[in-house]
Amino acid sequence: MTAAAEAPPRVVIADDQNLVRSGFRMILGAAGIPVIAEAADGAAAVAATLRHRPDVVLMDIRMPEMDGLEATRRILAAPATADCRIIILTTFDLDQYVYAALTAGASGFLLKDVTPEQLVTAVSTVRAGDALLAPSITRRLVERFAPRAHGTPAGLPAHGDLSDLTPRELEVLQLVARGLSNSELAAQLCLSEATVKTHVARIFAKLQLRDRVQAVVLAYETGLVGAGTQVPPAEG
């Protein structure tokens, strides 16, 4: 492991409430995670992210001047910060804005009443390249807010075509969208977990997906998986 990989994630906090920013800064600082900048609105969040290039941004949705959704789009559209991981902060569970943020490329969301332990874990999780939401939670968001018409996804920008996938890869994507973990996929398809990981990686590369969150959104918005699909009880 490289020294860069071992270093704690560098974080920017964007929230219009000073108390929230201060609280999160204290929690992360106590865990050895440096907060390198704060922002009270979306425009300042974009500027701070471009300037400091953090690993993770904690982004409030509802802020003055520019909301967190637009700030997320701008950050992830900029080549210098395209690899930044963004966690959406909200006071509302299953907020429509959260779904829009996920389609814009955010790696997950947290409610603002998150515990200190959950906050620290969340930052570490997305920094490692994993999505913060379990696929079944994302599925509920998609079923509530995704366009009902099938075809080109309205929310996801510039992703590859499902026709690029092999029949096996399509099958894997369907199961990912239904909430199966890699180990559950391996058991269902009678494959090794290493083979499953290879299939998932190829799917993400072909479709230009960041993580399982975007895979679930894409599967529903293209009609590959439909609303009401039964989800297995276990989560990945």
Side-chain angles (χ1 to χ4, degrees):
M1 184 176 292
T2 65
E6 293 173 348
R10 299 160 64 251
V11 177
V12 166
I13 302 175
D15 194 290
D16 62 344
Q17 298 180 44
N18 182 59
L19 187 61
V20 171
R21 297 198 309 272
S22 298
F24 282 0
R25 176 188 281 273
M26 290 178 60
I27 291 168
L28 294 175
I33 297 175
V35 175
I36 57 176
E38 296 181 15
D41 60 66
V46 174
T49 302
L50 290 171
R51 182 182 309 114
H52 297 284
R53 301 189 185 183
D55 301 298
V56 178
V57 178
L58 298 177
M59 181 78 73
D60 189 19
I61 279 286
R62 294 169 180 170
M63 295 184 290
E65 305 299 330
M66 179 191 297
D67 65 21
L69 177 57
E70 180 60 24
T72 295
R73 289 182 179 135
R74 294 193 186 191
I75 289 169
L76 297 179
T81 52
D83 292 333
C84 180
R85 296 285 169 166
I86 298 179
I87 299 174
I88 298 300
L89 301 173
T90 178
T91 54
F92 301 96
D93 195 5
L94 300 186
D95 188 328
Q96 183 171 4
Y97 289 105
V98 172
Y99 170 76
L102 296 180
T103 66
S107 295
F109 77 94
L110 286 175
L111 298 180
K112 287 189 180 180
D113 61 359
V114 64
T115 67
E117 294 78 12
Q118 289 171 332
L119 178 64
V120 172
T121 298
V123 169
S124 299
T125 295
V126 299
R127 194 282 184 91
D130 294 325
L132 190 57
L133 289 92
S136 62
I137 297 174
T138 313
R139 177 189 66 86
R140 289 195 291 273
L141 275 167
V142 174
E143 287 195 358
R144 181 169 177 180
F145 298 119
R148 293 296 179 237
H150 296 160
T152 302
L156 287 167
H159 288 282
D161 195 317
L162 291 183
S163 63
D164 294 335
L165 302 185
T166 66
R168 174 64 91 184
E169 288 167 350
L170 279 172
E171 184 178 16
V172 170
L173 178 57
Q174 286 177 315
L175 295 176
V176 166
R178 290 171 182 168
L180 273 69
S181 65
N182 285 345
S183 60
E184 291 165 341
L185 280 165
Q188 174 122 351
L189 299 175
C190 299
L191 299 172
S192 71
E193 194 164 341
T195 299
V196 168
K197 289 179 180 178
T198 298
H199 282 310
V200 172
R202 287 176 179 167
I203 291 167
F204 287 6
K206 287 182 178 181
L207 300 180
Q208 302 171 49
L209 299 169
R210 292 169 61 90
D211 49 40
R212 287 172 112 89
V213 170
Q214 285 200 328
V216 175
V217 173
L218 182 69
Y220 275 87
E221 288 200 339
T222 57
L224 180 65
V225 175
T229 300
Q230 184 67 36
V231 177
E235 296 183 355

